Amino acid sequence: MKSMTCKQLGGACDLEFRANTFDEMAALSQKHGMEMHQKQDAAHLEAMQAMGELMKTPDAMKNWQDSKRKEFDELPEI
Ligand SMILES: [Zn+2]
């Protein structure tokens, strides 16, 4: 199992997610992002907007995901 923070995954806080795979990690981060969106948390809304901009460019989004996946792969097991 590995851990990454909300910030490491393009979010805005230090909340830690723990998962066995990158896809699981991404799903946790997305779920948290949606909760924060519902609470209209300003910092997360801003971070999500930045991600939204990134998603307009398919290559940029793919590069971002690849680099995060690599970051995940390189993390030590906890
Ligand atoms: Zn967060």
Side-chain angles (χ1 to χ4, degrees):
M1 186 164 277
K2 299 181 178 188
S3 102
M4 281 177 103
T5 63
C6 176
K7 261 183 195 162
Q8 278 178 297
L9 291 157
C13 71
D14 290 317
L15 184 74
E16 197 180 75
F17 308 114
R18 292 183 176 198
N20 288 311
T21 66
F22 178 74
D23 291 330
E24 225 175 288
M25 187 68 86
L28 288 173
S29 140
Q30 239 167 39
K31 185 169 173 285
H32 166 70
M34 275 189 264
E35 282 168 10
M36 290 297 116
H37 185 263
Q38 268 176 1
K39 290 181 187 167
Q40 293 290 299
D41 179 87
H44 286 82
L45 289 180
E46 202 175 307
M48 268 179 246
Q49 204 174 358
M51 285 298 291
E53 287 298 314
L54 201 65
M55 277 179 219
K56 287 179 188 164
T57 319
D59 276 358
M61 191 58 205
K62 193 181 176 302
N63 288 343
W64 186 87
Q65 275 179 334
D66 286 351
S67 77
K68 289 298 159 185
R69 194 179 292 271
K70 188 164 175 287
E71 203 174 313
F72 178 87
D73 286 344
E74 286 167 358
L75 284 172
E77 292 282 341
I78 52 167

